[in-house]
Amino acid sequence: MAELVQYLITGVGVGCAYALLGSGLVVIYRVTRVVNFAQGAVAVLAALTVTTLLAAGLPHGLAEGLGVLLAGAAGLLTGLVATGKPGTTPQAALIVTLGLGVLAYAVEILFWGDQPRSFPGLPGATAGVQTHYFLIASVTALVLAATAVLFARTDLGRALTATAEDPYAARIVGIDVARMGLLAFTVGGALGGLAGVLITPVQQVTFDSDVALVVNGFSAAILGNLTRPGLTLAGGLLLGVVQALAGGYWNTSYQTEVALIFMLVVLVVRAGRLSSVETA
């Protein structure tokens, strides 16, 4: 029973990081209809940057904050390259983000090499579980709540929502749709960077960790059809718990496969529902 509780808590913590990464994908997709497959690379960039800043003597908090800011800037740059040219289709932009993710490999190897890196998180343990897992869950709850308030209660959030729902109508009322898209990439990048920074103390990262991160983030986001943050959180938590149980009772090397199977099941179920609706 004690092991089960530990697996559940660690799964929730890691699942919250997946939900943050997936929420970044949701923000970008809702506004631009682009699936940003460079999201994992942005998360790794932030995490590796924090390892360097901490090694240079910067205090915790400042180092992590700068890492998240860099991730936001990287997200903005991704948006500029992927969608900056007028008339770029979402499909073409998706291919560009894949290319940028591959380019990030070279940059990260150049600056940080190919060895796994980490840094210490929140010290201590509760119920046999690192306290840092509780920090991940707490920060995720605060950030996602703040994001919900941003979209529901502020003019900027309403402009983003209007752009997501009807870009043509948004242009008519004076909303700069292109600027809203770049802002979405910036916010999405910051959320991905925060996920990378939070998860690194419990899972080492290297230049190619972005594959597992983006697969898990996308798997969480796909539960809500890349448009519903609440279901993205649920997907991340479910995925994290299932992976923790699989790793604890079976084999940790199959955790990525668990994410892929999860995503496949969701897609098959959704396709079956759409087919039933069309038939009716």
Side-chain angles (χ1 to χ4, degrees):
M1 181 60 69
E3 282 187 345
L4 176 61
V5 171
Q6 291 174 8
Y7 295 150
L8 290 175
I9 294 174
T10 57
V12 167
V14 172
C16 283
Y18 296 160
L20 278 175
L21 197 82
S23 295
L25 290 170
V26 168
V27 169
I28 295 169
Y29 182 81
R30 284 183 63 182
V31 177
T32 66
R33 289 298 181 261
V34 175
V35 179
N36 179 23
F37 280 116
Q39 184 82 337
V42 171
V44 171
L45 174 65
L48 293 176
T49 299
V50 173
T51 65
T52 298
L53 295 177
L54 290 174
L58 266 68
H60 280 286
L62 177 59
E64 285 87 347
L66 290 175
V68 173
L69 287 175
L70 177 62
L76 173 61
L77 180 60
T78 301
L80 284 170
V81 175
T83 65
K85 183 179 179 181
T88 302
T89 65
Q91 293 77 17
L94 181 152
I95 299 301
V96 172
T97 66
L98 283 171
L100 291 173
V102 175
L103 175 62
Y105 278 12
V107 174
E108 289 159 359
I109 290 176
L110 177 65
F111 283 96
W112 290 284
D114 60 356
Q115 297 303 306
R117 288 175 174 250
S118 185
F119 57 86
L122 196 65
T126 303
V129 179
Q130 293 182 50
T131 307
H132 190 80
Y133 285 103
F134 296 95
L135 176 66
I136 297 174
S138 300
V139 171
T140 299
L142 289 173
V143 169
L144 292 185
T147 303
V149 171
L150 168 68
F151 276 90
R153 300 295 180 87
T154 67
D155 291 339
L156 178 59
R158 294 186 185 99
L160 286 167
T161 301
T163 303
E165 292 180 350
D166 193 333
Y168 178 74
R171 289 190 185 94
I172 291 177
V173 298
I175 296 174
D176 190 330
V177 172
R179 183 175 296 177
M180 291 299 104
L182 294 178
L183 178 60
F185 268 95
T186 303
V187 173
L191 289 172
L194 180 60
V197 169
L198 286 172
I199 204 172
T200 300
V202 295
Q203 290 186 5
Q204 291 183 324
V205 297
T206 185
F207 73 95
D208 60 352
S209 296
D210 69 306
V211 175
L213 287 172
V214 78
V215 166
N216 286 304
F218 185 75
S219 298
I222 202 68
L223 184 64
N225 200 28
L226 287 169
T227 58
R228 302 175 66 180
L231 285 179
T232 298
L233 175 59
L237 294 176
L238 179 60
L239 183 59
V241 169
V242 170
Q243 285 188 345
L245 294 175
Y249 292 114
W250 190 20
N251 192 319
T252 57
S253 63
Y254 294 118
Q255 289 181 329
T256 300
E257 285 77 2
V258 169
L260 291 171
I261 293 172
F262 177 86
M263 181 169 55
L264 180 62
V265 169
V266 171
L267 290 174
V268 169
V269 170
R270 178 168 290 118
R273 289 180 177 176
L274 287 176
S275 178
S276 299
V277 171
E278 291 175 357
T279 301

